[in-house]
């Protein structure tokens, strides 16, 4: 699809902003925050953390939020997504609430509001408290109950300060990382347990939504999903079938229950065939059916391209969805070598159209999209990172997003990953994503060229699009 050069005006009150999470940006602070799964990972696998940097300090938002909120303003934010740390509010995951943590979050959220920045609060971003992980993490019902109690507490304590709520960021992450691909604690390879974790997070999300409704707040509550539009290598029916399976496991698995309140029949059937169905009750299914999301966040980074398998599956290897497909590398693809992700801007359009056509055009926004680049300091001139590639990346995606809106998609905003360079899971500060650069030795912040672009974008509620920027 070709997009014409033009001024891309976005709808009134469009949410311009960015996102990050507590574990990645706050640092430990001094409220007596409990340990999380990342401290457990550090104890066990510190060698896996890039340059040996853990979550102790990160971007130190805890101590610097007042100045950082000014930087949000200077980079055009009218909204911002953060997460509330479960382990800060309840150091043991349950039990006594930490009043200092309540004071911190209330002060920080109030400061955002006072500066005209709408706080979007997410309630889980890969940061299970250690005490909860020791009880089984998302495999445990008691942990789900503790999570719902934490959410309920947040609605009560911060309900007057939060614009929109989200139960989870990328609930697929703990399944993939923790039970399939060995990059999150508990680093288990067991798809059946992963299915149980997936089911339990979907149920926990529904139960949090149920609790939310009792508070009768003006805000909405939703979920943030990482979705990769899935493309078959070719129109060959076997490639198409492979893409359908990949889509089922990685997209529909969370989309359908979150928005429609039920699981795709073919997914259930496939899991049953392999004896992988989770444990559940009829009441669980009712709760999922009756407590669907009111708003949807779309994290879009890369497409998923697949082909029919070219080799036989070893039936004695642990089950993986890849038994049904293989990844496909499209010749000539645009690629970010730092993160290893394909860049395919039209994917953002295809994703929005899918939500329009198959999910009732539910109110949605782009909750993450961004580009991580290593050694960004090499682009520094006159003290500023000249990240034209990031400006191009944003513009290209926005051009397709603009088209999606013109074609009737109910998209309310765009949040970039991320605001100030922040810590990334295992990659620490290797790849920089921010509109503002961070010197990790001095904690000095400097607005990048993209931060200036973002400010103008937000102020004009649009930008002049000159055609696709391709120099990555
Ligand atoms: C998303 C996560 C973010 C962030 C981002 C960038 O999947 O929600 O927490 O980390 O990806 O990815 P990474 O940090 O792995 O480079």
């Amino acid at each position: 699809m070709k997009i014409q050069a033009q001024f891309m005006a976005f709808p009134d009150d469009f949410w311009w902003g960015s996102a990050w999470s507590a574990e990645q940006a706050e640092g430990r602070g001094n409220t007596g925050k409990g340990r999380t799964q990342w401290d457990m990972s550090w104890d066990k696998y510190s060698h896996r953390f890039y340059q040996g940097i853990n979550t102790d300090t990160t971007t130190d938002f805890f101590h610097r939020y007042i100045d950082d909120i000014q930087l949000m303003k200077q980079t055009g934010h009218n909204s911002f997504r953060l997460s509330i740390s479960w382990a800060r509010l309840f150091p043991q995951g349950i039990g006594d609430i930490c009043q200092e943590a309540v004071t911190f979050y209330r002060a920080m959220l109030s400061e955002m509001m006072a500066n005209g920045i709408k706080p979007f609060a997410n309630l889980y971003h890969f940061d299970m408290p250690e005490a909860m992980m020791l009880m089984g993490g998302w495999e445990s019902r008691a942990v789900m109950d503790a999570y719902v109690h934490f959410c309920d507490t947040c609605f009560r304590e911060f309900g007057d300060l939060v614009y929109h709520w989200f139960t989870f960021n990328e609930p697929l992450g703990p399944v993939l990382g923790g039970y399939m691909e060995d990059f999150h604690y508990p680093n288990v390879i067991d798809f059946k347990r992963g299915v149980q974790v997936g089911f339990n997070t979907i149920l926990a999300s529904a139960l949090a939504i149920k609790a939310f409704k009792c508070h009768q707040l003006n805000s909405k509550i939703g979920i943030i999903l990482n979705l990769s539009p899935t493309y078959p290598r070719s129109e060959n029916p076997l490639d198409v079938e492979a893409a359908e399976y990949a889509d089922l496991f990685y997209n529909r698995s969370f989309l359908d229950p979150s928005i429609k309140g039920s699981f795709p029949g073919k997914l259930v059937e496939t899991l049953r065939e392999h004896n992988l169905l989770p444990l559940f009750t009829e009441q669980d299914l009712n709760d999922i059916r009756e407590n669907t999301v009111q708003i949807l966040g779309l994290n879009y980074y890369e497409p998923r391209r697949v082909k029919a398998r070219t080799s036989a599956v070893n039936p004695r290897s642990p089950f993986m969805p890849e038994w049904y497909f293989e990844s496909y590398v499209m010749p000539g693809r645009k690629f970010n070598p730092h993160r290893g992700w394909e860049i395919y801007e039209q994917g953002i359009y295809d994703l929005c159209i899918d939500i329009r056509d198959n999910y009732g055009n539910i109110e949605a926004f782009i909750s993450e999209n961004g580009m991580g680049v290593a050694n960004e300091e090499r682009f520094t001139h006159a003290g500023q990172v000249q990240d034209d590639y990031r400006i191009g990346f944003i513009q290209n995606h926005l051009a397709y997003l603009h088209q999606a809106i013109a074609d009737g998609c109910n998209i309310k905003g765009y949040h970039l990953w991320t605001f100030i360079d922040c810590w990334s899971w295992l990659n620490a500060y290797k790849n920089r994503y921010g509109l503002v650069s961070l010197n990790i030795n001095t904690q000095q912040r400097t607005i990048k060229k993209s931060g200036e672009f973002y400010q103008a974008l937000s102020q004009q509620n649009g930008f002049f699009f000159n055609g696709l920027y391709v120099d990555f």
Side-chain angles (χ1 to χ4, degrees):
M1 177 190 300
K2 186 148 171 39
I3 312 259
Q4 301 300 328
Q6 58 178 293
F7 185 81
M8 303 271 172
F10 282 80
D12 290 348
D13 303 321
F14 204 67
W15 303 324
W16 296 109
S18 65
W20 69 18
S21 75
E23 197 79 0
Q24 292 176 278
E26 279 179 6
R28 198 164 294 279
N30 61 4
T31 63
K33 181 183 175 187
R35 278 165 50 95
T36 70
Q37 66 182 87
W38 294 95
D39 301 302
M40 298 169 88
S41 283
W42 175 254
D43 289 350
K44 212 167 164 190
Y45 302 118
S46 61
H47 59 280
R48 292 191 182 192
F49 290 60
Y50 184 75
Q51 291 180 336
I53 298 174
N54 66 12
T55 53
D56 273 353
T57 308
T58 63
T59 308
D60 200 24
F61 187 57
F62 182 91
H63 291 111
R64 296 166 193 268
Y65 71 86
I66 292 183
D67 290 344
D68 287 348
I69 287 169
Q70 292 309 309
L71 280 172
M72 284 181 199
K73 274 175 83 174
Q74 288 167 37
T75 48
H77 286 67
N78 61 24
S79 49
F80 182 69
R81 174 175 49 112
L82 46 85
S83 70
I84 297 174
S85 164
W86 182 359
R88 190 181 296 287
L89 219 57
F90 292 98
Q92 295 306 311
I94 191 83
D96 292 339
I97 190 170
C98 171
Q99 277 308 328
E100 291 83 357
V102 174
T103 305
F104 162 65
Y105 282 118
R106 286 203 62 85
M108 189 250 278
L109 294 166
S110 303
E111 185 71 14
M112 282 175 64
M113 299 251 294
N115 282 281
I117 298 165
K118 296 180 169 74
F120 288 25
N122 172 35
L123 295 161
Y124 189 81
H125 199 129
F126 309 161
D127 54 347
M128 180 71 69
E130 178 178 47
M132 297 286 103
M133 191 56 101
L134 291 173
M135 283 166 57
W138 292 118
E139 293 180 70
S140 151
R141 288 247 157 191
V143 169
M144 281 168 47
D145 292 345
Y147 164 79
V148 176
H149 176 258
F150 156 67
C151 295
D152 193 52
T153 307
C154 289
F155 303 142
R156 193 183 64 236
E157 298 289 344
F158 313 122
D160 55 329
L161 298 175
V162 169
Y163 188 71
H164 283 324
W165 294 91
F166 299 91
T167 56
F168 282 87
N169 174 77
E170 303 190 352
L172 179 63
V175 180
L176 265 188
Y179 294 86
M180 293 165 68
E181 296 181 2
D182 187 28
F183 58 85
H184 279 196
Y185 206 89
N187 303 81
V188 165
I189 304 291
D190 188 328
F191 190 70
K192 189 171 172 109
R193 286 170 65 185
V195 170
Q196 188 71 57
V197 164
F199 180 83
N200 287 358
T201 49
I202 287 163
L203 178 58
S205 173
L207 294 174
I209 293 171
K210 191 175 180 179
F212 174 82
K213 290 176 186 165
C214 300
H215 290 265
Q216 302 192 319
L217 299 170
N218 291 328
S219 45
K220 291 185 180 169
I221 188 161
I223 196 164
I224 287 165
L225 300 179
N226 48 320
L227 298 167
S228 290
T230 305
Y231 304 100
R233 167 180 58 179
S234 74
E235 290 309 309
N236 183 301
L238 293 173
D239 282 346
V240 171
E241 187 185 58
E244 277 168 10
Y245 274 105
D247 186 46
L248 204 57
F249 276 106
Y250 290 132
N251 292 329
R252 310 294 150 194
S253 49
F254 286 92
L255 262 174
D256 280 30
S258 300
I259 299 169
K260 297 178 177 171
S262 62
F263 294 88
K266 190 168 173 181
L267 179 64
V268 174
E269 203 182 292
T270 308
L271 292 175
R272 186 177 289 122
E273 264 172 41
H274 294 276
N275 190 27
L276 291 168
L277 282 180
L279 296 173
F280 61 89
T281 66
E282 277 308 309
Q283 181 60 42
D284 297 340
L285 299 186
N286 273 337
D287 283 328
I288 291 171
R289 197 174 308 119
E290 285 167 15
N291 298 289
T292 55
V293 300
Q294 301 163 352
I295 180 171
L296 177 65
L298 305 167
N299 287 0
Y300 174 66
Y301 287 93
E302 55 165 352
R304 179 174 285 107
R305 298 190 191 277
V306 302
K307 62 184 179 188
R309 284 199 62 93
T310 52
S311 59
V313 164
N314 172 4
R316 290 191 45 74
S317 66
F319 178 89
M320 291 287 158
E322 284 71 11
W323 281 23
Y324 286 92
F325 58 87
E326 271 177 20
S327 300
Y328 168 64
V329 174
M330 185 182 74
R333 66 182 178 160
K334 205 186 288 181
F335 185 64
N336 173 0
H338 309 283
R339 190 58 178 81
W341 286 342
E342 180 181 341
I343 297 172
Y344 182 64
E345 298 90 348
Q346 192 181 318
I348 209 168
Y349 175 86
D350 294 343
L351 180 55
C352 294
I353 296 294
D354 181 16
I355 303 303
R356 182 194 70 182
D357 293 350
N358 299 314
Y359 295 93
N361 211 9
I362 185 172
E363 180 175 11
F365 73 114
I366 301 301
S367 40
E368 282 182 34
N369 175 232
M371 186 187 188
V373 172
N375 304 320
E376 265 202 330
E377 58 283 1
R378 72 200 136 112
F379 300 108
T380 306
H381 296 295
Q384 185 187 51
V385 175
Q386 305 293 306
D387 51 346
D388 293 275
Y389 43 86
R390 180 167 292 109
I391 296 172
F393 179 97
I394 296 169
Q395 288 184 337
N396 289 354
H397 283 85
L398 286 179
Y400 280 98
L401 191 64
H402 185 266
Q403 188 62 46
I405 295 167
D407 291 345
C409 296
N410 192 9
I411 299 291
K412 295 295 174 63
Y414 177 88
H415 281 185
L416 185 77
W417 189 269
T418 187
F419 164 40
I420 303 171
D421 291 338
C422 73
W423 186 88
S424 156
W425 322 103
L426 304 179
N427 274 334
Y429 284 93
K430 175 181 167 289
N431 299 319
R432 304 302 183 99
Y433 285 87
L435 294 169
V436 179
S437 68
L438 177 78
N439 178 325
I440 56 171
N441 300 315
T442 63
Q443 286 287 341
Q444 194 195 332
R445 284 95 157 112
T446 313
I447 295 178
K448 300 181 194 175
K449 188 171 174 184
S450 60
E452 290 175 356
F453 160 77
Y454 215 68
Q455 200 269 341
L457 170 72
S458 162
Q459 199 172 42
Q460 298 162 20
N461 203 31
F463 69 104
F464 193 84
F465 179 66
N466 268 321
L468 280 193
Y469 182 98
V470 286
D471 178 22
F472 288 109

